[in-house]
Amino acid sequence: MGSGGGALGLSSPLFANGHLSSSSNSTSLPLPVEDGNHLAMVKPSSSIVNLPHYKWRLLIAYDGTRYAGSHYWRVKGKWPYVIGLASPSISGWQFQVSPPTIQCIVEKALIQITKLERECLHFVGASRTDTGVHAWGQVAHFITPFNYDSLETIHAALNGLLPSDIRVREISAATPEFHARFSAKSKVYHYKIYNDTIMDPFQRHYVYHSVYKLNTAAMREAAKMLIGKHDFSAFVNASRNDRVPDPVKTIFRFDVIEMGPLIQLEVEGSGFLYRQVRNMVALLIQIGKEAIPTEIVPKILATLDRRELAKYALSAPPHGLCLVSVKYNQEHLLLPSDCPTTSFGRHHTITKCKLPFY
């Protein structure tokens, strides 16, 4: 790894003075882009140039109260590997400034730090979260045409630019095969319910308040009926894009945990449809209220019709939901050879006490 020449003390073998090297002999390659749940090869425009690239993985936490939802796409190669630099029209990413998305804000910070155009970053998130939904373990990746000697500097710079309700918890190098979304093995969501007569005001932005006394035993029984491989068409809201997602998903576990007045619903699945988690939670809350019996769950599943669920429950509010983690196979988390060490942030130290003793 070299030094100097790039942003924030990084090596930049491909760029001179911020411009593409005129000595590049690369040729254009087709680009894989997302089409529904599949990848389609598209012919790149004349503006695409093949260059070695480095991929980086981010672990992000955020308070979603102020933000709207978002989207993704895919690339492949070797470390450093070759992909096409495409125009924004080729990317499947949605760059939404108003109302702001988490992805938009993080991407703008990356643009400022790396000095790259957004279409060159190919910034991708593992999971779309709806407006108002929080995350502790969102995963994303981006690409640069240069390597870093150390990731601590860019890590500190990112968190210095981001608002206090968004934090990058970790930055690491990623292998060419890693993709934040398509490499995901499972995702874990938690939904929190405060089940007491008076709401704890300190939790009001992150926990749904139910004044009805909930029967958690009935909720557990109903949650077990959602475990396994099912067609969840009855639990998906109409999406705002043209994609037709596969409605068959696998729920690995669905736990109902009591912690005093707090009820935490923990669900892990292979993937989730638009608002699926909030719709499942809404049905469990109605069952917990004893407004409907547990036997309604398989009946609603069998209809494959969202209108059937709407007869009994509306979507649970978003602020109680949090994306806790995205899980990957171990081989997807391996670090490339000759890459900088993972950054978990750094502590500040004081070498000399500047305060007088009394």
Side-chain angles (χ1 to χ4, degrees):
M1 293 182 292
S3 61
L8 295 173
L10 46 93
S11 58
S12 181
L14 306 175
F15 286 77
N17 300 322
H19 300 286
L20 288 172
S21 171
S22 59
S23 62
S24 174
N25 295 318
S26 303
T27 57
S28 297
L29 292 176
L31 289 175
V33 298
E34 183 187 356
D35 178 17
N37 280 343
H38 306 283
L39 296 175
M41 302 303 291
V42 297
K43 187 176 180 180
S45 67
S46 58
S47 64
I48 298 176
V49 182
N50 290 318
L51 294 170
H53 278 63
Y54 298 83
K55 185 178 283 188
W56 311 99
R57 178 172 50 243
L58 303 178
L59 182 62
I60 307 170
Y62 51 82
D63 176 341
T65 304
R66 299 191 302 127
Y67 303 102
S70 53
H71 298 278
Y72 356 72
W73 82 270
R74 171 177 188 174
V75 287
K76 264 194 166 185
K78 301 177 182 177
W79 175 273
Y81 54 98
V82 176
I83 73 158
L85 294 180
S87 63
S89 61
I90 293 180
S91 174
W93 182 256
Q94 182 183 34
F95 191 79
Q96 182 175 308
V97 177
S98 181
T101 63
I102 301 293
Q103 287 79 1
C104 172
I105 292 174
V106 176
E107 190 173 357
K108 286 172 71 175
L110 283 170
I111 290 169
Q112 187 171 343
I113 291 168
T114 63
K115 310 303 180 186
L116 297 173
E117 298 295 331
R118 59 175 293 267
E119 60 266 23
C120 300
L121 286 170
H122 298 294
F123 186 51
V124 179
S127 181
R128 178 178 63 191
T129 54
D130 296 336
T131 301
V133 173
H134 315 292
W136 173 248
Q138 177 70 276
V139 177
H141 75 254
F142 69 97
I143 295 164
T144 60
F146 41 69
N147 201 358
Y148 285 97
D149 292 327
S150 169
L151 292 175
E152 285 190 345
T153 304
I154 184 176
H155 195 173
L158 266 175
N159 282 334
L161 287 173
L162 292 171
S164 59
D165 52 4
I166 305 175
R167 277 295 168 264
V168 174
R169 295 172 51 206
E170 180 183 323
I171 303 181
S172 62
T175 60
E177 294 76 22
F178 174 81
H179 188 283
R181 182 186 179 200
F182 293 110
S183 298
K185 181 175 66 173
S186 69
K187 298 170 186 177
V188 179
Y189 281 91
H190 289 182
Y191 194 95
K192 294 183 179 181
I193 304 167
Y194 198 81
N195 193 202
D196 205 350
T197 55
I198 307 299
M199 177 61 183
D200 179 349
F202 295 103
Q203 300 190 61
R204 70 191 187 280
H205 294 307
Y206 314 103
V207 181
Y208 168 67
H209 182 212
S210 174
V211 295
Y212 295 91
K213 184 62 178 177
L214 299 178
N215 182 340
T216 52
M219 294 172 72
R220 286 190 190 94
E221 184 181 348
K224 288 179 182 178
M225 297 177 183
L226 294 167
I227 296 174
K229 189 174 183 180
H230 303 286
D231 185 324
F232 284 96
S233 294
F235 288 85
V236 60
N237 281 29
S239 181
R240 289 166 293 181
N241 56 41
D242 296 327
R243 300 174 187 169
V244 182
D246 181 3
V248 178
K249 305 294 179 184
T250 301
I251 302 296
F252 301 118
R253 66 181 181 94
F254 204 151
D255 301 323
V256 179
I257 301 171
E258 291 182 85
M259 297 175 284
L262 192 67
I263 300 172
Q264 184 162 284
L265 308 183
E266 301 183 0
V267 57
E268 179 177 356
S270 59
F272 297 96
L273 302 168
Y274 182 53
R275 293 196 179 175
Q276 179 187 338
V277 176
R278 288 167 57 191
N279 288 331
M280 293 190 299
V281 167
L283 183 61
L284 294 188
I285 290 173
Q286 289 299 99
I287 291 171
K289 292 177 182 177
E290 300 181 342
I292 51 177
T294 56
E295 294 77 18
I296 200 71
V297 176
K299 293 179 181 178
I300 292 174
L301 273 171
T303 66
L304 307 181
D305 189 348
R306 176 66 179 86
R307 292 171 294 182
E308 188 65 23
L309 175 64
K311 296 176 183 177
Y312 305 100
L314 301 176
S315 294
H319 67 281
L321 186 61
C322 179
L323 173 62
V324 174
S325 65
V326 181
K327 297 183 179 181
Y328 299 90
N329 290 323
Q330 195 58 39
E331 58 266 25
H332 288 135
L333 298 179
L334 295 175
L335 296 177
S337 59
D338 195 30
C339 69
T341 58
T342 299
S343 173
F344 300 96
R346 60 187 174 195
H347 289 285
H348 291 257
T349 58
I350 298 177
T351 55
K352 183 178 179 182
C353 184
K354 299 181 181 180
L355 296 175
F357 290 98
Y358 293 98

CSV table of all heavy atoms in Angstrom, one decimal, residues 140-176:
chain,number,residue,atom,x,y,z
A,140,ALA,N,-23.8,-1.6,4.9
A,140,ALA,CA,-23.7,-1.0,3.6
A,140,ALA,C,-22.3,-1.2,3.0
A,140,ALA,O,-21.4,-1.5,3.8
A,140,ALA,CB,-24.0,0.5,3.6
A,141,HIS,N,-22.1,-1.0,1.7
A,141,HIS,CA,-20.8,-1.1,1.2
A,141,HIS,C,-20.7,0.0,0.1
A,141,HIS,O,-21.6,0.5,-0.4
A,141,HIS,CB,-20.5,-2.4,0.5
A,141,HIS,CG,-21.1,-2.7,-0.8
A,141,HIS,ND1,-22.1,-3.6,-0.9
A,141,HIS,CD2,-20.9,-2.3,-2.0
A,141,HIS,CE1,-22.5,-3.7,-2.2
A,141,HIS,NE2,-21.7,-2.9,-2.9
A,142,PHE,N,-19.4,0.4,-0.1
A,142,PHE,CA,-19.1,1.4,-1.2
A,142,PHE,C,-17.8,1.0,-1.8
A,142,PHE,O,-17.1,0.2,-1.3
A,142,PHE,CB,-19.1,2.8,-0.6
A,142,PHE,CG,-18.0,3.2,0.3
A,142,PHE,CD1,-16.9,3.8,-0.2
A,142,PHE,CD2,-18.1,2.9,1.6
A,142,PHE,CE1,-15.8,4.2,0.7
A,142,PHE,CE2,-17.1,3.2,2.5
A,142,PHE,CZ,-15.9,3.8,2.1
A,143,ILE,N,-17.5,1.7,-2.9
A,143,ILE,CA,-16.3,1.4,-3.7
A,143,ILE,C,-15.4,2.6,-3.9
A,143,ILE,O,-16.0,3.7,-4.2
A,143,ILE,CB,-16.7,0.7,-5.0
A,143,ILE,CG1,-17.4,-0.6,-4.8
A,143,ILE,CG2,-15.5,0.5,-6.0
A,143,ILE,CD1,-18.2,-1.1,-6.0
A,144,THR,N,-14.1,2.4,-3.9
A,144,THR,CA,-13.2,3.5,-4.2
A,144,THR,C,-12.2,3.0,-5.2
A,144,THR,O,-11.9,1.8,-5.2
A,144,THR,CB,-12.5,4.1,-3.0
A,144,THR,OG1,-11.7,3.1,-2.4
A,144,THR,CG2,-13.5,4.7,-2.0
A,145,PRO,N,-11.6,3.9,-6.0
A,145,PRO,CA,-10.6,3.5,-7.0
A,145,PRO,C,-9.2,3.6,-6.3
A,145,PRO,O,-8.2,3.5,-7.0
A,145,PRO,CB,-10.7,4.5,-8.1
A,145,PRO,CG,-11.2,5.7,-7.4
A,145,PRO,CD,-12.1,5.3,-6.3
A,146,PHE,N,-9.1,3.7,-5.0
A,146,PHE,CA,-7.9,3.8,-4.3
A,146,PHE,C,-8.0,3.1,-3.0
A,146,PHE,O,-9.1,2.8,-2.5
A,146,PHE,CB,-7.5,5.3,-4.0
A,146,PHE,CG,-8.6,6.2,-3.6
A,146,PHE,CD1,-9.2,6.0,-2.3
A,146,PHE,CD2,-9.1,7.1,-4.4
A,146,PHE,CE1,-10.3,6.8,-2.0
A,146,PHE,CE2,-10.2,7.9,-4.1
A,146,PHE,CZ,-10.8,7.8,-2.8
A,147,ASN,N,-6.8,2.7,-2.4
A,147,ASN,CA,-6.7,2.0,-1.2
A,147,ASN,C,-6.5,2.9,0.0
A,147,ASN,O,-6.1,4.1,-0.3
A,147,ASN,CB,-5.6,0.9,-1.2
A,147,ASN,CG,-5.8,-0.2,-0.2
A,147,ASN,OD1,-6.7,-0.2,0.6
A,147,ASN,ND2,-4.8,-1.1,-0.2
A,148,TYR,N,-6.7,2.5,1.2
A,148,TYR,CA,-6.5,3.3,2.4
A,148,TYR,C,-5.4,2.7,3.2
A,148,TYR,O,-5.3,1.4,3.3
A,148,TYR,CB,-7.7,3.4,3.3
A,148,TYR,CG,-8.8,4.3,2.7
A,148,TYR,CD1,-9.9,3.8,2.0
A,148,TYR,CD2,-8.7,5.7,3.0
A,148,TYR,CE1,-10.9,4.7,1.5
A,148,TYR,CE2,-9.7,6.5,2.5
A,148,TYR,CZ,-10.8,6.0,1.8
A,148,TYR,OH,-11.7,6.9,1.3
A,149,ASP,N,-4.5,3.5,3.7
A,149,ASP,CA,-3.4,3.0,4.6
A,149,ASP,C,-4.0,2.7,6.0
A,149,ASP,O,-3.6,1.7,6.6
A,149,ASP,CB,-2.3,4.0,4.8
A,149,ASP,CG,-1.5,4.3,3.5
A,149,ASP,OD1,-1.4,3.3,2.7
A,149,ASP,OD2,-1.1,5.4,3.2
A,150,SER,N,-5.0,3.5,6.4
A,150,SER,CA,-5.7,3.3,7.7
A,150,SER,C,-7.1,3.7,7.5
A,150,SER,O,-7.4,4.7,6.8
A,150,SER,CB,-5.0,4.1,8.8
A,150,SER,OG,-5.8,4.1,9.9
A,151,LEU,N,-8.0,3.0,8.2
A,151,LEU,CA,-9.4,3.3,8.1
A,151,LEU,C,-9.9,4.2,9.3
A,151,LEU,O,-11.0,4.7,9.3
A,151,LEU,CB,-10.2,2.0,8.1
A,151,LEU,CG,-10.1,1.1,6.8
A,151,LEU,CD1,-10.9,-0.2,7.0
A,151,LEU,CD2,-10.6,1.9,5.6
A,152,GLU,N,-9.0,4.4,10.2
A,152,GLU,CA,-9.4,5.2,11.4
A,152,GLU,C,-9.7,6.6,11.0
A,152,GLU,O,-10.6,7.3,11.5
A,152,GLU,CB,-8.4,5.1,12.5
A,152,GLU,CG,-8.3,3.8,13.3
A,152,GLU,CD,-7.5,3.9,14.5
A,152,GLU,OE1,-6.6,4.8,14.6
A,152,GLU,OE2,-7.6,3.0,15.3
A,153,THR,N,-8.9,7.1,10.0
A,153,THR,CA,-9.1,8.5,9.7
A,153,THR,C,-10.4,8.8,8.9
A,153,THR,O,-11.1,9.7,9.3
A,153,THR,CB,-7.9,9.0,8.8
A,153,THR,OG1,-6.7,8.7,9.4
A,153,THR,CG2,-8.0,10.5,8.4
A,154,ILE,N,-10.7,7.9,8.0
A,154,ILE,CA,-12.0,8.1,7.3
A,154,ILE,C,-13.1,7.8,8.2
A,154,ILE,O,-14.2,8.5,8.1
A,154,ILE,CB,-12.1,7.2,6.0
A,154,ILE,CG1,-13.4,7.5,5.2
A,154,ILE,CG2,-12.0,5.8,6.3
A,154,ILE,CD1,-13.5,6.8,3.9
A,155,HIS,N,-13.0,6.9,9.2
A,155,HIS,CA,-14.0,6.6,10.1
A,155,HIS,C,-14.3,7.8,11.0
A,155,HIS,O,-15.5,8.2,11.1
A,155,HIS,CB,-13.6,5.5,11.0
A,155,HIS,CG,-14.7,4.8,11.8
A,155,HIS,ND1,-14.5,3.7,12.6
A,155,HIS,CD2,-16.0,5.2,12.0
A,155,HIS,CE1,-15.6,3.4,13.1
A,155,HIS,NE2,-16.5,4.3,12.8
A,156,ALA,N,-13.3,8.5,11.5
A,156,ALA,CA,-13.5,9.7,12.3
A,156,ALA,C,-14.0,10.8,11.4
A,156,ALA,O,-14.9,11.6,11.9
A,156,ALA,CB,-12.1,10.1,12.9
A,157,ALA,N,-13.6,10.9,10.2
A,157,ALA,CA,-14.1,12.0,9.3
A,157,ALA,C,-15.6,11.8,9.0
A,157,ALA,O,-16.4,12.8,9.0
A,157,ALA,CB,-13.3,12.0,8.0
A,158,LEU,N,-16.0,10.5,8.8
A,158,LEU,CA,-17.4,10.3,8.5
A,158,LEU,C,-18.3,10.7,9.7
A,158,LEU,O,-19.3,11.4,9.5
A,158,LEU,CB,-17.6,8.8,8.2
A,158,LEU,CG,-17.6,8.3,6.7
A,158,LEU,CD1,-17.6,6.8,6.6
A,158,LEU,CD2,-18.7,9.0,5.9
A,159,ASN,N,-17.9,10.2,10.9
A,159,ASN,CA,-18.8,10.5,12.0
A,159,ASN,C,-18.7,12.0,12.4
A,159,ASN,O,-19.6,12.5,13.0
A,159,ASN,CB,-18.3,9.7,13.2
A,159,ASN,CG,-18.9,8.2,13.1
A,159,ASN,OD1,-19.9,8.0,12.5
A,159,ASN,ND2,-18.2,7.3,13.7
A,160,GLY,N,-17.6,12.7,12.0
A,160,GLY,CA,-17.5,14.1,12.2
A,160,GLY,C,-18.5,14.9,11.3
A,160,GLY,O,-19.0,15.9,11.7
A,161,LEU,N,-18.7,14.3,10.1
A,161,LEU,CA,-19.6,15.0,9.1
A,161,LEU,C,-21.1,14.6,9.3
A,161,LEU,O,-22.0,15.4,9.1
A,161,LEU,CB,-19.3,14.7,7.7
A,161,LEU,CG,-18.0,15.3,7.2
A,161,LEU,CD1,-17.6,14.7,5.8
A,161,LEU,CD2,-18.1,16.8,7.1
A,162,LEU,N,-21.4,13.4,9.8
A,162,LEU,CA,-22.7,13.0,10.0
A,162,LEU,C,-23.4,13.6,11.2
A,162,LEU,O,-22.8,14.0,12.2
A,162,LEU,CB,-22.7,11.4,10.2
A,162,LEU,CG,-22.3,10.6,9.0
A,162,LEU,CD1,-22.2,9.1,9.3
A,162,LEU,CD2,-23.3,10.8,7.8
A,163,PRO,N,-24.8,13.8,11.1
A,163,PRO,CA,-25.5,14.3,12.3
A,163,PRO,C,-25.4,13.3,13.4
A,163,PRO,O,-25.1,12.1,13.2
A,163,PRO,CB,-26.9,14.4,11.7
A,163,PRO,CG,-27.0,13.5,10.6
A,163,PRO,CD,-25.6,13.5,10.0
A,164,SER,N,-25.7,13.8,14.6
A,164,SER,CA,-25.5,12.9,15.8
A,164,SER,C,-26.5,11.7,15.9
A,164,SER,O,-26.2,10.8,16.6
A,164,SER,CB,-25.7,13.8,17.1
A,164,SER,OG,-27.0,14.4,17.1
A,165,ASP,N,-27.5,11.7,15.1
A,165,ASP,CA,-28.4,10.6,15.1
A,165,ASP,C,-28.1,9.5,14.1
A,165,ASP,O,-28.9,8.6,13.9
A,165,ASP,CB,-29.9,11.1,14.9
A,165,ASP,CG,-30.1,11.9,13.7
A,165,ASP,OD1,-29.2,12.2,13.0
A,165,ASP,OD2,-31.3,12.4,13.5
A,166,ILE,N,-26.9,9.7,13.4
A,166,ILE,CA,-26.4,8.6,12.5
A,166,ILE,C,-24.9,8.4,12.9
A,166,ILE,O,-24.2,9.3,13.0
A,166,ILE,CB,-26.5,9.0,11.0
A,166,ILE,CG1,-27.9,9.4,10.6
A,166,ILE,CG2,-25.9,7.9,10.1
A,166,ILE,CD1,-28.0,10.0,9.2
A,167,ARG,N,-24.6,7.1,13.1
A,167,ARG,CA,-23.2,6.8,13.5
A,167,ARG,C,-22.7,5.6,12.7
A,167,ARG,O,-23.4,4.6,12.6
A,167,ARG,CB,-23.1,6.6,15.0
A,167,ARG,CG,-22.9,7.8,15.8
A,167,ARG,CD,-21.6,8.5,15.5
A,167,ARG,NE,-21.5,9.9,16.0
A,167,ARG,CZ,-21.8,11.0,15.3
A,167,ARG,NH1,-22.3,10.9,14.1
A,167,ARG,NH2,-21.6,12.2,15.8
A,168,VAL,N,-21.5,5.7,12.1
A,168,VAL,CA,-20.8,4.6,11.6
A,168,VAL,C,-20.1,3.9,12.7
A,168,VAL,O,-19.2,4.4,13.3
A,168,VAL,CB,-19.9,5.0,10.4
A,168,VAL,CG1,-19.1,3.8,9.9
A,168,VAL,CG2,-20.6,5.6,9.3
A,169,ARG,N,-20.5,2.6,13.0
A,169,ARG,CA,-19.9,1.9,14.2
A,169,ARG,C,-18.6,1.2,13.8
A,169,ARG,O,-17.8,1.0,14.6
A,169,ARG,CB,-20.9,0.9,14.7
A,169,ARG,CG,-22.2,1.5,15.3
A,169,ARG,CD,-23.2,0.4,15.6
A,169,ARG,NE,-22.6,-0.7,16.4
A,169,ARG,CZ,-23.0,-1.9,16.4
A,169,ARG,NH1,-24.1,-2.3,15.7
A,169,ARG,NH2,-22.4,-2.9,17.2
A,170,GLU,N,-18.5,0.9,12.5
A,170,GLU,CA,-17.4,0.1,12.1
A,170,GLU,C,-17.1,0.2,10.6
A,170,GLU,O,-18.1,0.3,9.8
A,170,GLU,CB,-17.7,-1.4,12.4
A,170,GLU,CG,-16.6,-2.4,12.0
A,170,GLU,CD,-17.1,-3.8,12.4
A,170,GLU,OE1,-17.8,-4.0,13.4
A,170,GLU,OE2,-16.8,-4.7,11.6
A,171,ILE,N,-15.9,0.2,10.2
A,171,ILE,CA,-15.5,0.2,8.7
A,171,ILE,C,-14.4,-0.9,8.5
A,171,ILE,O,-13.5,-1.0,9.3
A,171,ILE,CB,-14.9,1.6,8.3
A,171,ILE,CG1,-15.9,2.7,8.5
A,171,ILE,CG2,-14.5,1.5,6.8
A,171,ILE,CD1,-15.3,4.1,8.0
A,172,SER,N,-14.6,-1.7,7.5
A,172,SER,CA,-13.7,-2.7,7.2
A,172,SER,C,-13.6,-2.9,5.7
A,172,SER,O,-14.5,-2.5,4.9
A,172,SER,CB,-14.1,-4.1,7.9
A,172,SER,OG,-15.3,-4.5,7.4
A,173,ALA,N,-12.5,-3.5,5.3
A,173,ALA,CA,-12.3,-3.9,3.8
A,173,ALA,C,-13.2,-5.1,3.6
A,173,ALA,O,-13.6,-5.9,4.5
A,173,ALA,CB,-10.9,-4.2,3.5
A,174,ALA,N,-13.7,-5.2,2.3
A,174,ALA,CA,-14.6,-6.3,1.9
A,174,ALA,C,-14.0,-7.0,0.7
A,174,ALA,O,-13.4,-6.4,-0.1
A,174,ALA,CB,-16.0,-5.8,1.7
A,175,THR,N,-14.3,-8.3,0.6
A,175,THR,CA,-13.9,-9.0,-0.6
A,175,THR,C,-14.8,-8.7,-1.8
A,175,THR,O,-15.9,-8.2,-1.6
A,175,THR,CB,-14.0,-10.6,-0.3
A,175,THR,OG1,-15.4,-10.9,-0.1
A,175,THR,CG2,-13.1,-11.0,0.8
A,176,PRO,N,-14.3,-8.9,-3.0
A,176,PRO,CA,-15.1,-8.6,-4.2
A,176,PRO,C,-16.5,-9.3,-4.2
A,176,PRO,O,-17.4,-8.8,-4.7
A,176,PRO,CB,-14.2,-9.1,-5.4
A,176,PRO,CG,-12.9,-9.1,-4.8
A,176,PRO,CD,-13.0,-9.5,-3.4
